[in-house]
């Protein structure tokens, strides 16, 4: 079944990126859990019935794997965080002098584990937010909204985002079929007997997609004057350099005066370069998605969460970054938590798919 939500897919990605940006501004596990719950609730209420929308659970499992790996590294390789609450002492492997600062084994403290948990939970939350966007935004509709200069790169990204959920759906379907036949679907044997049909199906879809793209004239480019090509390259390269320099200026104390103007100038130059570069792409849009009031509300809710959490991280850094030395229980700051709840706005304004 196709996506009937009518909401611009770019709004979902801006909303999810806003939540992900907010996750990078804090290590408070209560706020991060609230961000995860917010994205999960919106996905549960607004997700369409489509194969690509089933990938949210895969991103959640990936986030859990990242969290477990981060804790494992903290136990096996140690942590620079000092601590007095020793949980266990592992046998320590002696290392040569050139590996100073690295250890294998030794004391495992509660402070180091809590620090690793906070750090891993931040990355896990970011992955879950990206999974929410992947489950809510139709990738083919997102491709239609890209500017012409990014069309080819967008095709590659959309194909990757589309094939990954299809692989997950194929694995679930084949495992269910094997269980109905009384055959094993776990372990090495089950993995081999499920993996080969999945790989065969992926190759068939790849060949069919390549034939369809070739039949539709994918890769055609229009003839543009050399001056336009040089101007496009200069604007794009200069704009990206301006964005990098402006971002560096915003992140450093000494570049506060020139950072924002340079960043805005770089963004304007890059957008102008993309506008000119779109002349090389010969394509039309059938029934393009409109950016309506609902899309503004969805994207604005994510941007508001990111802006308010960024403001909170500068005005009250201790609340958003609870310390682990000494080891204390994290507290839930009220107004940052209320700011995170703004991310629930899409569940109210986004159109629901009819049952």
């Amino acid at each position: 079944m196709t996506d009937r939500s009518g909401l611009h897919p770019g709004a979902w990605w801006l909303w999810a990126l806003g939540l992900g940006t907010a996750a990078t501004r804090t290590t408070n596990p209560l706020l991060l859990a609230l961000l995860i719950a917010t994205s999960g609730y919106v996905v549960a209420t607004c997700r369409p019935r489509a194969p690509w929308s089933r990938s949210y659970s895969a991103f959640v499992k990936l986030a859990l794997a990242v969290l477990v790996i981060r804790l494992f590294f903290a136990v096996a390789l140690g942590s620079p965080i000092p601590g007095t609450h020793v949980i266990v002492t592992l046998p320590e492997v002696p290392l040569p002098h050139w590996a100073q600062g690295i250890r294998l084994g030794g004391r495992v403290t509660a402070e180091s584990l809590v620090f690793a948990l906070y750090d891993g939970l931040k990355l896990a939350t970011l992955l879950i937010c990206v999974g929410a966007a992947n489950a809510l935004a139709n990738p083919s509709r997102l491709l239609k909204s890209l500017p012409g200069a990014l069309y080819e790169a967008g095709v590659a990204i959309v194909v990757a985002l589309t094939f990954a959920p299809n692989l997950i759906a194929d694995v679930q379907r084949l495992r269910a079929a094997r269980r109905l036949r009384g055959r094993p679907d776990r372990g090495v044997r089950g993995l081999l007997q499920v993996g080969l049909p999945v790989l065969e199906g992926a190759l068939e879809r790849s060949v069919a997609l390549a034939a369809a793209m070739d039949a539709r004239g994918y890769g055609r480019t229009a003839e543009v004057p050399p001056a336009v090509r040089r101007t496009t390259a200069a604007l794009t390269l200069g704009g990206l350099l301006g964005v990098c320099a402006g971002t560096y200026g915003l992140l450093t104390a000494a570049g506060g005066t020139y950072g924002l103007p340079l960043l805005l100038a770089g963004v304007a130059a890059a957008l102008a370069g993309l506008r000119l570069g779109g002349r090389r792409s010969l394509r039309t849009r059938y029934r393009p998605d409109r950016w309506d009031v609902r899309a503004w509300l969805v994207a604005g809710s994510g941007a508001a969460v990111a802006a308010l959490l960024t403001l909170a991280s500068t005005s009250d850094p201790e609340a958003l970054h609870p310390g682990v030395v000494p080891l204390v229980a994290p507290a839930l700051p009220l107004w940052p938590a209320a700011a995170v709840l703004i991310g629930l706005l899409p569940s109210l304004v986004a159109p629901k798919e009819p049952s």
Side-chain angles (χ1 to χ4, degrees), residues 98 108 124-125 247:
W98 50 265
V108 179
T125 306
T247 304

Side-chain angles (χ1 to χ4, degrees), residues 5 7 45 54 77 96 104 117 123 139 146 160 178 183 185 189 196 218 223 227 237 245 256 274 277-278 293 350 355:
S5 66
L7 192 68
T45 56
R54 303 172 187 170
L77 303 179
L104 296 176
L117 177 65
L123 180 57
L146 288 177
R178 290 186 63 82
R183 297 178 182 176
D185 62 322
R189 181 181 177 185
L196 290 178
Y218 173 76
E223 292 292 335
L237 181 60
L274 292 177
V293 177
S355 59

Side-chain angles (χ1 to χ4, degrees), residues 18-109:
L19 296 187
T21 302
T24 63
R25 310 308 300 175
T26 179
T27 56
N28 190 315
L30 300 179
L31 288 176
L32 293 174
L34 192 58
L35 284 168
I36 293 174
T38 298
S39 65
Y41 181 78
V42 173
V43 170
T45 56
C46 301
R47 178 172 54 180
R49 293 190 300 273
W52 43 265
S53 65
R54 303 172 187 170
S55 59
Y56 183 73
S57 60
F59 279 90
V60 173
K61 295 176 182 177
L62 178 61
L64 291 176
V66 167
L67 186 59
V68 171
I69 292 173
R70 182 65 180 88
L71 291 174
F72 172 77
F73 281 145
V75 172
L77 303 179
S79 174
I81 302 299
T84 57
H85 299 80
V86 180
I87 298 177
V88 66
T89 301
L90 301 176
E92 187 169 354
V93 179
L95 297 176
H97 67 280
W98 50 265
Q100 292 181 357
I102 304 175
R103 67 175 177 87
L104 296 176
R107 297 191 313 162
V108 179
T109 63

Side-chain angles (χ1 to χ4, degrees), residues 179-249:
R179 284 195 298 268
L180 291 175
R181 293 180 175 88
R183 297 178 182 176
D185 62 322
R186 298 181 181 274
V188 178
R189 181 181 177 185
L191 179 63
L192 292 177
Q193 295 184 355
V194 169
L196 290 178
V198 170
L199 180 61
E200 180 182 0
L203 291 176
E204 290 179 355
R205 279 194 298 269
S206 300
V207 173
L209 178 63
M213 292 170 66
D214 184 64
R216 288 167 174 79
Y218 173 76
R220 294 183 304 161
T221 57
E223 292 292 335
V224 295
V228 175
R229 291 200 300 267
R230 288 192 291 267
T231 304
T232 301
L235 286 174
T236 305
L237 181 60
L240 293 178
L241 291 176
V243 169
C244 294
T247 304
Y248 175 78

